[in-house]
């Protein structure tokens, strides 16, 4: 009989977000009249901006005519989009060339798949709390042992991000090969400073490590002095891969388009100790396993970088960030300790009365009919914390805050 990949049996039974969905469905089935407000999964609610939608429509129109019809596109993305992305990085002070950009159908896939090009005995460091995809995909690949009672996997290096250290992870005391960093952070909403990022780049250079930098929320940074791309940091082009997405930047969670930058200068060693280009490996991986994002969607993504597209997405982001302000300030008035929500669409809060994250989830759902995400779902250091997303319709956000306040926690 065929045998399974037994690493899958080390995983917790369900992935965090479907588990939330299951609990909410059970609640709504039992309470059909409850008006549930969902601030759990970070999923956008506002429609696609007009310049982007028009560009997608125009792309579809081209496919309707024999002269402009297109079949398979380049696996790495069309040149027009790769160039627009590279130009955008350059405008942010980050040195990226068009042929270092790999367009994809999501940062979830890219941050999950990237580990394939590294050795199975690579030592992996993750922050705690963390976007679960980084952890689970390394478990699936066999880079860990079993999970302990707190859910931490043997063999992974966890870097706590807590109130005490200002959500700024400390460098590992020993050697690690792969370092996942996310800034602005999901779930804490914290942003890594320029000094902190320089420290990581210096560590990676000294230790021949690779930084996997997820900047899916970079467009939510409003302070121009903060770092948006790791490539703004001297030396990063030799040690870092960066992931970005149109999901939260331009309302593409359902549309699907993202990109990953693998500089030509970033290298790692093979088993003979020789240096190998990660750009070449990722290109080999993508061309073998991925067939590209559809042409109309890439046209829509390119429209994000036009002046009209930039103006439109800034307006949408400002809307979500006003939601974040309302949640942050409303909960603070209710005496709840809140973090994040200034340069990120997530508010990270301490559960009142020291109840567990899942207890708070159940309390909020049953008493206020508000859905959030339990902090413990992001790692053991998230226990006793809770994440609220600012991706909601304004009236629902106001209503959710008022219902939470009324609980008098
Ligand atoms: C629920 C740090 C959300 N089903 O849309 P993508 O694939 O380009 O981006 C996914 C992604 C990548 N990196 C970070 C993210 O936070 C996300 C999206 N996270 C959340 O609520 O934490 C959506 C989660 C989705 C999932 O499993 O990713």
């Amino acid at each position: 009989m065929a045998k399974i990949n037994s690493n899958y049996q080390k995983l917790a039974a369900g992935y965090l977000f479907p588990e939330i969905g299951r609990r909410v469905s059970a609640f709504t089935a039992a309470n059909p009249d409850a008006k549930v407000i969902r601030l759990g999964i970070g999923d956008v609610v506002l429609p696609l901006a007009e310049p982007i939608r028009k560009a997608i429509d125009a792309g579809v129109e081209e496919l309707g005519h024999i002269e402009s019809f297109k079949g398979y596109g380049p696996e790495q993305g069309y040149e027009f989009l790769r160039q627009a992305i590279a130009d955008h990085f350059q405008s942010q002070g980050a040195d990226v060339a068009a042929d270092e950009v790999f367009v994809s159908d999501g940062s979830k896939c890219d941050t999950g798949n990237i580990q394939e090009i590294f050795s199975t005995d690579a030592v992996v460091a993750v922050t705690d709390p963390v976007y679960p995809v980084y952890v689970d995909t390394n478990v699936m690949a066999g880079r860990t042992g079993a999970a302990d009672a707190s859910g931490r996997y043997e063999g992974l290096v966890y870097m706590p991000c807590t109130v005490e250290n200002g959500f700024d992870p400390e460098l590992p005391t020993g050697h690690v090969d792969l370092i996942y960093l996310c800034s602005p952070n999901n779930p804490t909403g914290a942003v890594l400073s320029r000094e902190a990022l320089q420290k990581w780049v210096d560590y990676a250079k000294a230790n021949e490590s690779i930084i996997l930098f997820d900047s899916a929320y970079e467009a939510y940074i409003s302070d121009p002095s903060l770092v948006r791309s790791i490539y703004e940091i001297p030396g990063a082009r030799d040690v870092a891969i960066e992931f970005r997405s149109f999901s939260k930047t331009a309302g593409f969670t359902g549309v699907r388009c993202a990109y990953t930058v693998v500089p030509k200068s970033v290298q790692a060693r093979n088993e003979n100790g020789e240096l190998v280009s990660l750009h070449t490996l990722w290109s080999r991986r993508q061309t073998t396993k991925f067939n590209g994002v559809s042409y109309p969607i890439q046209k829509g993504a390119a429209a994000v970088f036009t002046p009209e597209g930039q103006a439109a997405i800034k307006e949408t982001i400002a809307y979500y960030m006003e939601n974040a302000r309302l949640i942050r300030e409303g909960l603070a008035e209710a005496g709840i300790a809140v973090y994040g929500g200034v340069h990120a669409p997530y508010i990270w809060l301490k559960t009142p009365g020291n109840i567990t994250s899942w207890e708070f989830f159940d309390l909020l759902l049953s008493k206020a009919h508000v859905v959030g995400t339990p902090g413990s779902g992001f790692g053991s250091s998230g226990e006793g914390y809770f994440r609220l997303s600012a991706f909601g319709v304004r009236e629902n956000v106001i209503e959710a805050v008022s219902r939470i306040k009324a609980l008098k926690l």
Side-chain angles (χ1 to χ4, degrees):
M1 184 175 283
K3 287 191 178 156
I4 62 155
N5 174 352
S6 55
N7 294 311
Y8 276 62
Q9 294 192 307
K10 298 174 190 163
L11 293 164
Y15 178 57
L16 173 64
F17 296 106
E19 175 59 25
I20 292 171
R22 268 192 295 279
R23 291 195 187 208
V24 175
S25 300
F27 177 81
T28 48
N31 303 275
D33 296 330
K35 187 190 171 234
V36 173
I37 299 176
R38 292 162 202 265
L39 301 177
I41 297 170
D43 195 0
V44 293
V45 294
L46 296 182
L48 286 176
E50 192 168 296
I52 297 168
R53 189 174 49 74
K54 279 192 171 158
I56 295 174
D57 287 349
V60 173
E61 185 61 29
E62 281 186 60
L63 298 186
H65 303 276
I66 196 154
E67 325 77 71
S68 48
F69 176 77
K70 287 168 181 58
Y72 290 123
E75 290 91 345
Q76 301 90 336
Y78 282 98
E79 180 59 24
F80 64 81
L81 178 55
R82 298 175 89 194
Q83 189 60 57
I85 292 168
D87 291 346
H88 188 67
F89 271 107
Q90 296 286 349
S91 76
Q92 294 183 335
D95 188 16
V96 170
D99 61 358
E100 295 175 324
V101 174
F102 293 82
V103 175
S104 77
D105 61 351
S107 284
K108 178 177 180 173
C109 329
D110 287 354
T111 56
N113 292 331
I114 194 76
Q115 47 76 29
E116 277 184 29
I117 65 169
F118 296 99
S119 104
T120 47
D121 60 6
V123 178
V124 177
V126 291
T127 59
D128 177 12
V130 68
Y131 178 47
V133 167
Y134 315 154
V135 171
D136 289 5
T137 52
N138 278 290
V139 175
M140 291 169 176
R143 289 194 187 86
T144 75
D148 66 16
S150 72
R152 284 189 164 194
Y153 290 94
E154 186 196 345
L156 276 193
V157 174
Y158 289 91
M159 306 179 292
C161 290
T162 59
V163 173
E164 291 70 35
N165 67 14
F167 305 108
D168 186 358
E170 279 173 29
L171 293 176
T173 45
H175 170 86
V176 301
D177 298 303
L178 303 179
I179 302 154
Y180 288 83
L181 295 176
C182 176
S183 179
N185 190 261
N186 174 20
T188 66
V191 181
L192 290 172
S193 67
R194 192 172 293 273
E195 297 69 35
L197 287 169
Q198 186 68 64
K199 183 184 74 175
W200 281 105
V201 168
D202 293 345
Y203 172 92
K205 286 201 122 181
N207 287 273
E208 296 201 337
S209 320
I210 300 295
I211 297 171
L212 304 170
F213 187 72
D214 187 342
S215 61
Y217 302 98
E218 59 82 26
Y220 286 80
I221 293 178
S222 56
D223 177 348
S225 72
L226 290 171
V227 175
R228 290 164 182 256
S229 166
I230 188 105
Y231 305 119
E232 292 174 58
I233 306 294
R237 280 185 51 86
D238 297 332
V239 292
I241 291 174
E242 179 161 335
F243 307 89
R244 285 189 178 186
S245 173
F246 293 98
S247 280
K248 315 296 163 62
T249 310
F252 274 47
T253 53
V255 174
R256 309 305 303 150
C257 194
Y259 49 101
T260 289
V261 176
V262 188
K264 292 211 173 130
S265 43
V266 71
Q267 295 177 310
R269 293 192 189 275
N270 67 14
E271 55 190 15
N272 300 323
E274 296 149 348
L275 287 168
V276 176
S277 155
L278 295 184
H279 181 278
T280 305
L281 293 192
W282 186 244
S283 182
R284 185 71 175 80
R285 192 266 172 211
Q286 289 299 82
T287 49
T288 302
K289 295 195 177 184
F290 183 60
N291 253 338
V293 173
S294 80
Y295 175 74
I297 299 311
Q298 292 195 54
K299 289 298 271 187
V304 170
F305 300 108
T306 61
E308 301 75 32
Q310 285 292 298
I313 65 159
K314 283 196 173 108
E315 205 176 300
T316 311
I317 289 170
Y319 179 96
Y320 291 132
M321 290 313 290
E322 173 62 7
N323 286 349
R325 186 188 69 77
L326 291 167
I327 298 172
R328 223 180 49 238
E329 294 182 1
L331 297 191
E333 276 166 29
I336 296 174
V338 287
Y339 307 92
V342 178
H343 298 292
Y346 296 120
I347 289 88
W348 186 240
L349 61 99
K350 180 83 197 81
T351 59
N354 279 327
I355 61 173
T356 70
S357 303
W358 277 109
E359 281 167 350
F360 190 65
F361 175 90
D362 289 334
L363 174 84
L364 227 53
L365 181 58
S366 60
K367 299 276 191 285
H369 305 166
V370 172
V371 181
T373 306
S376 56
F378 298 100
S380 61
S381 295
E383 182 56 279
Y385 286 83
F386 198 75
R387 191 192 79 176
L388 286 175
S389 146
F391 296 115
V393 174
R394 178 68 43 77
E395 65 188 52
N396 286 346
V397 167
I398 292 170
E399 172 70 17
V401 171
S402 125
R403 287 188 202 168
I404 297 172
K405 277 177 148 178
L407 293 177
K408 305 219 178 300
L409 296 161

